Amino acid sequence: MSKNRLSGEFPRFGPESNLELSSNEFSGAIPSYFGSAISMLLMSDNNFSGEFPQNFRNLSNLIRLDLHDNKISGDFASLTSLLPSSLEVLSLRNNSLKGSIPEGISNLTRLQVLDLSENNLDGYLPSSIGNLACLIMSPESSSSVMRPWLLFFTDEESFREIKTQDIFSFAVNWKKSRQVLFHRNFYLYTLVDLSMNKLQGEIPASLGNLRSLNVLNLSNNEFSGSIPQSFGDLDKLESLDLSHNNLSGEIPKTLSKLRKLVRGGFPP
């Protein structure tokens, strides 16, 4: 039901519903009555506000949470403690989250896409971000728990098949442009976007552990110090943006090993 003008009181869906309600006009607090079996919750581009409800910790089967372009506030570290370890996608771009990224971010062991850009996050980036297990080893195409097919019957004798991977897509800033990632080949995409926040201090060398990472965007923050030598180990990296920080020193020669880095992916 995405891309409509739906508003008003948020409806109660069944306990196993996967919800695609992006680009509507829902407002108020984030709903707190989802069933524990839900695996996809896509409610971006609405007007939800306030902090996350406590019962999100009970959504043990949730693999995709997309709430970008809302007005969600609160402390990100507190929010992280509510998120299930099953998450593969966490997209909270363009909200009003504050505070630091906690060491516990590494508990999201299945995370493939982490988009926290355009918030008010500050403090130091923890070294534990280099322990995200699914970004260290290549994610498998079979990792998703979605049912592979939906059947839509048009009459008694015919029907058409729609792949759910084409329905449950989501958008990210991929190589400096907005791209739609489809479920059918989602296992190909890995991204960490922390741009346009107020993160400071040195960039942790542990990020070099994330060898399956395709896109890393740390631009428009307050990072200082040098670019880690370990970035040369990101052999699947296709785009690296470190622009608009306070970095100094030489560009590591190890970056010459990044054969998949596309032209323009690394800023001058």
Side-chain angles (χ1 to χ4, degrees), residues 29-173:
I30 302 171
S32 60
Y33 37 78
F34 300 110
S36 60
I38 191 170
S39 61
M40 293 198 184
L41 186 53
L42 312 178
M43 301 191 299
S44 63
D45 195 17
N46 279 283
N47 291 302
F48 291 115
S49 59
E51 301 184 8
F52 268 70
Q54 291 292 315
N55 73 332
F56 261 63
R57 69 174 73 250
N58 299 325
L59 306 183
S60 57
N61 294 303
L62 192 64
I63 62 172
R64 299 195 189 167
L65 178 59
D66 187 354
L67 283 164
H68 71 73
D69 290 287
N70 278 285
K71 300 175 182 177
I72 300 167
S73 59
D75 182 74
F76 179 69
S78 299
L79 183 158
T80 305
S81 66
L82 302 176
L83 299 175
S85 60
S86 56
L87 271 185
E88 297 177 5
V89 172
L90 177 59
S91 179
L92 298 172
R93 180 179 71 249
N94 192 22
N95 279 284
S96 299
L97 296 168
K98 62 181 181 179
S100 59
I101 297 175
E103 292 283 348
I105 193 72
S106 60
N107 294 332
L108 302 177
T109 55
R110 296 182 62 183
L111 207 60
Q112 294 175 227
V113 171
L114 174 63
D115 190 350
L116 303 176
S117 59
E118 301 180 54
N119 279 283
N120 296 309
L121 301 176
D122 56 20
Y124 299 99
L125 190 58
S127 59
S128 63
I129 197 168
N131 297 329
L132 293 169
C134 209
L135 295 179
I136 295 174
M137 299 179 293
S138 297
E140 299 294 336
S141 60
S142 60
S143 64
S144 176
V145 298
M146 271 297 295
R147 296 183 181 90
W149 302 96
L150 283 178
L151 303 182
F152 290 82
F153 290 88
T154 56
D155 54 50
E156 292 182 350
E157 297 182 357
S158 64
F159 64 88
R160 60 189 179 94
E161 295 178 338
I162 304 292
K163 292 184 177 180
T164 60
Q165 50 255 41
D166 293 327
I167 296 174
F168 291 100
S169 60
F170 61 98
V172 295
N173 291 321

Side-chain angles (χ1 to χ4, degrees), residues 12 26 50 55 64 83 106 147 208 215 228 237 251 253:
R12 290 178 179 266
F26 290 111
N55 73 332
R64 299 195 189 167
L83 299 175
S106 60
R147 296 183 181 90
V215 172
L237 201 65
I251 295 177
K253 293 182 174 59

